[in-house]
Amino acid sequence: MSVYSQIKEKFVMPDAFGDWGNYRKQVTKILSQDITRDIIGYEPMKEGFTKTKMQPLYKNDGLSIAILGAGACNDVDLFELAEHFEHITLIDVDKEVMVRATEWMPEIIREKITIKNGSITGISDADQERFCERILSYVSNYGSTMKQDTYNRLLMEELMGLGSRLYSNERMLAENGLLPVGGYDVVACLGVHSQLMALLSYTISVLTHNISEQLFQGSMPDDKKITEYLKRMNSHIIPIINSAILKSSNQKAVFGNEYDGKHPVEGAYQCIMDLRKRGLSIKEQHLDWNFNPDQNVKYDMLIQII
Protein backbone atom coordinates (compact mmCIF):
# COMPACT_ATOMS: atom_id res chain seq x y z
CA MET A 1 0.00 0.00 0.00
CA SER A 2 1.36 3.42 -0.98
CA VAL A 3 1.97 6.16 1.57
CA TYR A 4 -0.87 8.15 0.04
CA SER A 5 -3.26 5.21 0.40
CA GLN A 6 -2.30 4.89 4.05
CA ILE A 7 -2.96 8.60 4.58
CA LYS A 8 -6.34 8.27 2.87
CA GLU A 9 -7.30 5.39 5.16
CA LYS A 10 -6.68 7.56 8.20
CA PHE A 11 -8.89 10.26 6.66
CA VAL A 12 -11.89 7.90 6.52
CA MET A 13 -14.45 7.85 9.35
CA PRO A 14 -15.41 4.16 9.80
CA ASP A 15 -18.40 4.86 12.05
CA ALA A 16 -19.90 7.63 9.92
CA PHE A 17 -22.98 5.69 8.79
CA GLY A 18 -24.07 4.97 12.34
CA ASP A 19 -23.03 8.32 13.77
CA TRP A 20 -24.78 10.34 11.09
CA GLY A 21 -28.13 8.55 11.27
CA ASN A 22 -30.22 11.50 12.45
CA TYR A 23 -28.50 13.93 10.09
CA ARG A 24 -28.97 11.51 7.18
CA LYS A 25 -32.67 11.26 7.96
CA GLN A 26 -33.07 15.05 7.92
CA VAL A 27 -31.08 15.51 4.71
CA THR A 28 -32.97 12.74 2.94
CA LYS A 29 -36.32 14.23 3.95
CA ILE A 30 -35.32 17.56 2.42
CA LEU A 31 -34.27 15.93 -0.84
CA SER A 32 -36.95 13.26 -1.18
CA GLN A 33 -39.99 15.03 0.22
CA ASP A 34 -39.55 18.80 0.54
CA ILE A 35 -37.73 19.29 -2.77
CA THR A 36 -39.94 16.96 -4.81
CA ARG A 37 -43.05 18.61 -3.35
CA ASP A 38 -41.76 22.02 -4.44
CA ILE A 39 -40.96 20.76 -7.93
CA ILE A 40 -44.16 18.82 -8.57
CA GLY A 41 -46.54 21.30 -7.01
CA TYR A 42 -49.75 20.61 -5.14
CA GLU A 43 -53.32 21.47 -5.92
CA PRO A 44 -55.93 21.71 -3.14
CA MET A 45 -59.04 19.62 -3.72
CA LYS A 46 -62.12 19.99 -1.54
CA GLU A 47 -63.50 16.92 0.20
CA GLY A 48 -66.89 17.81 1.54
CA PHE A 49 -67.00 21.18 3.21
CA THR A 50 -64.26 21.07 5.79
CA LYS A 51 -61.40 18.83 4.55
CA THR A 52 -58.73 19.76 2.05
CA LYS A 53 -56.70 17.05 0.35
CA MET A 54 -53.41 17.90 -1.33
CA GLN A 55 -52.97 16.10 -4.66
CA PRO A 56 -49.82 16.13 -6.82
CA LEU A 57 -50.33 17.71 -10.24
CA TYR A 58 -48.33 14.98 -11.94
CA LYS A 59 -46.24 11.94 -11.07
CA ASN A 60 -42.56 12.40 -10.21
CA ASP A 61 -41.47 9.17 -11.93
CA GLY A 62 -39.09 10.99 -14.26
CA LEU A 63 -37.25 13.14 -11.72
CA SER A 64 -33.48 12.90 -11.56
CA ILE A 65 -30.99 13.86 -8.86
CA ALA A 66 -27.22 14.08 -8.73
CA ILE A 67 -25.33 13.74 -5.44
CA LEU A 68 -21.94 15.45 -5.59
CA GLY A 69 -19.20 14.03 -3.40
CA ALA A 70 -21.40 10.99 -2.79
CA GLY A 71 -18.60 8.80 -1.42
CA ALA A 72 -20.01 6.03 0.75
CA CYS A 73 -23.44 7.73 0.83
CA ASN A 74 -23.34 8.08 4.61
CA ASP A 75 -25.38 11.28 4.57
CA VAL A 76 -28.20 10.21 2.20
CA ASP A 77 -30.61 7.27 2.22
CA LEU A 78 -30.57 5.87 -1.32
CA PHE A 79 -33.55 3.62 -0.61
CA GLU A 80 -35.66 6.63 0.30
CA LEU A 81 -34.37 8.69 -2.64
CA ALA A 82 -35.21 5.85 -5.03
CA GLU A 83 -38.85 6.11 -3.98
CA HIS A 84 -38.99 9.72 -5.17
CA PHE A 85 -36.46 9.88 -8.01
CA GLU A 86 -36.33 7.73 -11.11
CA HIS A 87 -32.67 8.49 -11.78
CA ILE A 88 -29.94 8.92 -9.14
CA THR A 89 -26.42 9.89 -10.21
CA LEU A 90 -23.59 9.54 -7.70
CA ILE A 91 -20.50 11.64 -8.40
CA ASP A 92 -17.20 11.28 -6.55
CA VAL A 93 -13.46 11.16 -7.12
CA ASP A 94 -13.37 7.68 -5.53
CA LYS A 95 -15.24 5.16 -7.69
CA GLU A 96 -14.50 2.15 -5.47
CA VAL A 97 -16.21 3.71 -2.46
CA MET A 98 -19.37 4.42 -4.46
CA VAL A 99 -19.41 0.88 -5.85
CA ARG A 100 -19.09 -0.61 -2.36
CA ALA A 101 -21.89 1.64 -1.12
CA THR A 102 -24.33 0.40 -3.77
CA GLU A 103 -23.34 -3.11 -4.90
CA TRP A 104 -25.23 -4.83 -2.06
CA MET A 105 -28.51 -3.06 -2.82
CA PRO A 106 -31.45 -4.77 -4.53
CA GLU A 107 -31.39 -4.66 -8.30
CA ILE A 108 -34.54 -2.53 -8.38
CA ILE A 109 -32.58 0.20 -6.57
CA ARG A 110 -29.31 -0.26 -8.47
CA GLU A 111 -31.13 0.09 -11.79
CA LYS A 112 -31.90 3.69 -10.87
CA ILE A 113 -28.30 4.52 -9.91
CA THR A 114 -25.55 5.77 -12.20
CA ILE A 115 -22.01 6.16 -10.89
CA LYS A 116 -19.82 8.90 -12.33
CA ASN A 117 -16.18 8.91 -11.32
CA GLY A 118 -14.32 12.19 -11.57
CA SER A 119 -13.03 15.29 -9.86
CA ILE A 120 -15.14 18.44 -9.62
CA THR A 121 -12.00 20.52 -9.02
CA GLY A 122 -9.81 19.25 -11.85
CA ILE A 123 -7.36 17.61 -9.42
CA SER A 124 -7.76 13.85 -9.52
CA ASP A 125 -6.97 11.27 -6.87
CA ALA A 126 -4.06 10.14 -9.06
CA ASP A 127 -2.77 13.74 -9.16
CA GLN A 128 -2.69 13.86 -5.37
CA GLU A 129 -0.95 10.50 -5.16
CA ARG A 130 1.74 11.71 -7.60
CA PHE A 131 2.12 14.86 -5.51
CA CYS A 132 2.75 12.72 -2.44
CA GLU A 133 5.22 10.49 -4.27
CA ARG A 134 7.17 13.44 -5.66
CA ILE A 135 7.57 15.01 -2.22
CA LEU A 136 8.84 11.70 -0.85
CA SER A 137 11.21 11.31 -3.80
CA TYR A 138 12.73 14.72 -3.07
CA VAL A 139 13.32 13.70 0.54
CA SER A 140 14.86 10.42 -0.59
CA ASN A 141 17.17 12.15 -3.08
CA TYR A 142 18.32 14.91 -0.72
CA GLY A 143 18.48 12.73 2.36
CA SER A 144 19.99 14.34 5.44
CA THR A 145 21.27 17.28 3.38
CA MET A 146 17.77 18.68 2.87
CA LYS A 147 17.17 22.01 4.56
CA GLN A 148 13.86 23.39 5.71
CA ASP A 149 13.84 26.18 3.14
CA THR A 150 14.55 23.63 0.39
CA TYR A 151 11.66 21.48 1.56
CA ASN A 152 9.36 24.53 1.71
CA ARG A 153 10.34 25.58 -1.81
CA LEU A 154 9.86 22.15 -3.36
CA LEU A 155 6.57 21.61 -1.53
CA MET A 156 5.27 24.96 -2.74
CA GLU A 157 6.37 24.27 -6.32
CA GLU A 158 4.56 20.95 -6.35
CA LEU A 159 1.46 22.48 -4.76
CA MET A 160 1.40 25.21 -7.40
CA GLY A 161 1.64 22.48 -10.01
CA LEU A 162 -1.53 20.96 -8.57
CA GLY A 163 -3.13 24.40 -8.49
CA SER A 164 -2.56 24.77 -12.21
CA ARG A 165 -4.80 21.75 -12.77
CA LEU A 166 -7.87 23.40 -11.25
CA TYR A 167 -10.71 23.97 -13.69
CA SER A 168 -10.71 27.50 -15.06
CA ASN A 169 -14.45 27.73 -15.84
CA GLU A 170 -17.73 25.88 -15.31
CA ARG A 171 -17.85 24.70 -18.92
CA MET A 172 -15.07 22.24 -18.13
CA LEU A 173 -17.33 20.54 -15.58
CA ALA A 174 -20.04 20.25 -18.21
CA GLU A 175 -17.68 18.97 -20.88
CA ASN A 176 -16.26 16.23 -18.68
CA GLY A 177 -19.78 14.87 -18.22
CA LEU A 178 -20.04 15.35 -14.47
CA LEU A 179 -22.31 18.40 -14.49
CA PRO A 180 -23.82 18.77 -17.97
CA VAL A 181 -25.95 21.88 -18.47
CA GLY A 182 -29.52 20.98 -17.53
CA GLY A 183 -28.40 17.45 -16.82
CA TYR A 184 -30.44 16.84 -13.66
CA ASP A 185 -33.63 18.06 -12.06
CA VAL A 186 -31.90 18.34 -8.69
CA VAL A 187 -28.22 18.64 -7.78
CA ALA A 188 -27.24 18.18 -4.12
CA CYS A 189 -23.83 19.13 -2.78
CA LEU A 190 -23.67 18.54 0.97
CA GLY A 191 -20.59 18.89 3.15
CA VAL A 192 -18.39 18.90 0.05
CA HIS A 193 -16.95 22.41 -0.18
CA SER A 194 -15.10 22.11 3.12
CA GLN A 195 -13.51 18.90 1.83
CA LEU A 196 -12.30 20.11 -1.57
CA MET A 197 -8.77 20.68 -0.32
CA ALA A 198 -9.08 18.87 3.03
CA LEU A 199 -7.41 15.61 2.00
CA LEU A 200 -4.62 17.52 0.25
CA SER A 201 -4.12 19.68 3.33
CA TYR A 202 -4.10 16.60 5.56
CA THR A 203 -1.62 14.83 3.27
CA ILE A 204 0.73 17.82 3.43
CA SER A 205 0.38 17.96 7.21
CA VAL A 206 1.18 14.26 7.66
CA LEU A 207 4.13 14.35 5.26
CA THR A 208 5.56 17.52 6.79
CA HIS A 209 5.23 16.21 10.34
CA ASN A 210 6.99 12.93 9.52
CA ILE A 211 9.70 14.59 7.45
CA SER A 212 10.30 17.16 10.19
CA GLU A 213 10.77 14.38 12.72
CA GLN A 214 13.28 12.66 10.44
CA LEU A 215 15.26 15.62 9.13
CA PHE A 216 14.60 18.74 11.15
CA GLN A 217 14.62 17.41 14.72
CA GLY A 218 10.89 17.95 14.97
CA SER A 219 11.08 21.60 14.00
CA MET A 220 8.11 22.23 11.71
CA PRO A 221 8.65 24.35 8.58
CA ASP A 222 6.60 27.52 8.27
CA ASP A 223 3.33 26.53 6.58
CA LYS A 224 1.71 29.97 6.25
CA LYS A 225 2.34 30.16 2.52
CA ILE A 226 0.94 26.66 2.06
CA THR A 227 -2.19 27.51 4.03
CA GLU A 228 -2.73 30.72 2.10
CA TYR A 229 -2.27 28.98 -1.22
CA LEU A 230 -4.80 26.30 -0.31
CA LYS A 231 -7.26 29.08 0.55
CA ARG A 232 -6.59 30.70 -2.82
CA MET A 233 -7.25 27.37 -4.52
CA ASN A 234 -10.62 27.17 -2.75
CA SER A 235 -11.46 30.77 -3.58
CA HIS A 236 -10.74 30.08 -7.24
CA ILE A 237 -12.59 26.81 -7.70
CA ILE A 238 -15.66 27.25 -5.47
CA PRO A 239 -17.46 29.90 -7.58
CA ILE A 240 -16.75 27.74 -10.65
CA ILE A 241 -18.24 24.64 -9.01
CA ASN A 242 -21.26 26.60 -7.79
CA SER A 243 -21.92 28.02 -11.25
CA ALA A 244 -21.67 24.55 -12.77
CA ILE A 245 -24.11 23.16 -10.19
CA LEU A 246 -26.62 25.94 -10.81
CA LYS A 247 -26.45 25.45 -14.57
CA SER A 248 -26.73 21.67 -14.28
CA SER A 249 -29.85 21.71 -12.10
CA ASN A 250 -33.11 22.16 -14.01
CA GLN A 251 -35.24 22.61 -10.92
CA LYS A 252 -33.38 22.85 -7.63
CA ALA A 253 -29.82 23.06 -6.36
CA VAL A 254 -29.19 22.11 -2.72
CA PHE A 255 -26.02 23.16 -0.94
CA GLY A 256 -25.04 22.13 2.60
CA ASN A 257 -22.14 23.72 4.45
CA GLU A 258 -20.75 23.87 7.96
CA TYR A 259 -21.77 27.22 9.41
CA ASP A 260 -19.81 29.01 12.12
CA GLY A 261 -20.15 32.76 12.39
CA LYS A 262 -17.21 33.13 14.76
CA HIS A 263 -14.80 30.62 13.24
CA PRO A 264 -15.60 30.18 9.53
CA VAL A 265 -14.90 26.74 8.12
CA GLU A 266 -12.52 26.87 5.17
CA GLY A 267 -14.30 26.10 1.91
CA ALA A 268 -17.75 26.09 3.50
CA TYR A 269 -17.59 29.83 4.21
CA GLN A 270 -16.56 30.67 0.64
CA CYS A 271 -19.48 28.67 -0.72
CA ILE A 272 -22.05 30.27 1.57
CA MET A 273 -20.88 33.79 0.77
CA ASP A 274 -20.55 33.13 -2.96
CA LEU A 275 -24.16 31.97 -3.17
CA ARG A 276 -25.49 34.83 -1.04
CA LYS A 277 -23.81 37.50 -3.14
CA ARG A 278 -25.30 36.19 -6.40
CA GLY A 279 -28.65 37.82 -5.71
CA LEU A 280 -30.55 34.56 -6.04
CA SER A 281 -33.72 33.55 -4.24
CA ILE A 282 -32.38 31.24 -1.53
CA LYS A 283 -34.25 29.27 1.09
CA GLU A 284 -32.03 28.62 4.09
CA GLN A 285 -32.42 26.27 7.02
CA HIS A 286 -30.16 24.75 9.66
CA LEU A 287 -29.54 21.12 10.58
CA ASP A 288 -27.55 19.62 13.44
CA TRP A 289 -24.78 17.29 12.28
CA ASN A 290 -23.25 15.13 15.00
CA PHE A 291 -20.13 14.65 12.93
CA ASN A 292 -17.87 12.78 15.32
CA PRO A 293 -19.49 11.90 18.66
CA ASP A 294 -16.31 10.31 20.03
CA GLN A 295 -14.48 13.63 19.72
CA ASN A 296 -17.59 15.72 20.42
CA VAL A 297 -17.40 17.37 16.98
CA LYS A 298 -20.72 18.84 15.88
CA TYR A 299 -21.63 21.16 13.05
CA ASP A 300 -24.43 23.57 12.38
CA MET A 301 -25.16 22.75 8.73
CA LEU A 302 -26.60 25.57 6.69
CA ILE A 303 -28.76 24.17 3.91
CA GLN A 304 -29.25 26.57 1.01
CA ILE A 305 -31.92 25.65 -1.54
CA ILE A 306 -31.98 27.55 -4.83
Side-chain angles (χ1 to χ4, degrees), residues 241-250 253 255 275 278 280 306:
I241 293 173
N242 289 352
S243 293
I245 291 172
L246 293 170
K247 289 183 178 181
S248 190
S249 55
N250 276 323
F255 299 82
L275 293 174
R278 289 175 183 251
L280 303 168
I306 301 173

Side-chain angles (χ1 to χ4, degrees), residues 52-301:
T52 298
K53 184 177 181 181
M54 307 302 282
Q55 292 281 14
L57 295 177
Y58 55 88
K59 292 182 179 180
N60 61 352
D61 291 348
L63 288 182
S64 62
I65 185 170
I67 309 293
L68 282 185
C73 300
N74 290 318
D75 53 0
V76 290
D77 185 335
L78 294 181
F79 284 87
E80 179 73 16
L81 288 186
E83 292 183 8
H84 295 82
F85 292 92
E86 188 67 19
H87 308 285
I88 302 170
T89 300
L90 306 180
I91 302 171
D92 199 275
V93 71
D94 194 331
K95 181 179 180 180
E96 292 182 6
V97 171
M98 291 187 289
V99 170
R100 288 199 299 270
T102 57
E103 62 184 359
W104 59 274
M105 294 182 174
E107 185 177 359
I108 193 172
I109 303 294
R110 286 186 281 110
E111 286 177 344
K112 293 188 173 188
I113 297 173
T114 298
I115 289 176
K116 288 187 178 181
N117 176 221
S119 168
I120 61 172
T121 65
I123 299 174
S124 69
D125 201 47
D127 291 331
Q128 295 200 61
E129 183 160 21
R130 281 192 294 271
F131 168 84
C132 182
E133 290 173 350
R134 286 181 65 83
I135 296 301
L136 292 172
S137 71
Y138 288 135
V139 174
S140 177
N141 291 336
Y142 275 87
S144 60
T145 65
M146 175 172 272
K147 305 299 182 183
Q148 283 192 359
D149 58 350
T150 302
Y151 174 78
N152 285 348
R153 175 177 58 80
L154 293 171
L155 181 61
M156 193 65 191
E157 288 176 359
E158 292 298 326
L159 183 58
M160 292 177 69
L162 277 183
S164 69
R165 300 188 66 83
L166 291 172
Y167 291 131
S168 58
N169 58 69
E170 65 267 21
R171 291 192 305 275
M172 300 176 79
L173 273 163
E175 292 167 357
N176 71 6
L178 296 181
L179 289 170
V181 176
Y184 316 99
D185 291 305
V186 180
V187 178
C189 188
L190 305 160
V192 173
H193 289 74
S194 63
Q195 300 303 303
L196 293 174
M197 302 300 160
L199 178 55
L200 176 57
S201 177
Y202 181 67
T203 298
I204 292 172
S205 177
V206 171
L207 289 176
T208 300
H209 174 78
N210 291 337
I211 291 168
S212 297
E213 290 290 327
Q214 294 175 31
L215 300 178
F216 311 137
Q217 291 76 49
S219 175
M220 294 288 286
D222 185 6
D223 64 352
K224 289 182 180 178
K225 289 184 177 180
I226 299 295
T227 301
E228 286 303 314
Y229 192 76
L230 289 170
K231 288 182 179 180
R232 285 165 55 192
M233 290 171 71
N234 265 330
S235 296
H236 166 81
I237 197 61
I238 285 173
I240 291 173
I241 293 173
N242 289 352
S243 293
I245 291 172
L246 293 170
K247 289 183 178 181
S248 190
S249 55
N250 276 323
Q251 301 283 354
K252 295 287 183 179
V254 184
F255 299 82
N257 288 285
E258 302 88 338
Y259 180 81
D260 190 330
K262 294 183 178 179
H263 307 285
V265 177
E266 176 62 24
Y269 174 78
Q270 287 97 319
C271 178
I272 293 168
M273 300 309 296
D274 173 67
L275 293 174
R276 284 178 172 175
K277 74 181 183 182
R278 289 175 183 251
L280 303 168
S281 176
I282 304 177
K283 177 184 176 181
E284 297 188 346
Q285 64 186 94
H286 292 261
L287 300 180
D288 293 325
W289 187 9
N290 198 6
F291 183 76
N292 190 335
D294 289 343
Q295 297 184 19
N296 197 30
V297 178
K298 300 178 181 180
Y299 291 115
D300 173 10
M301 290 297 287

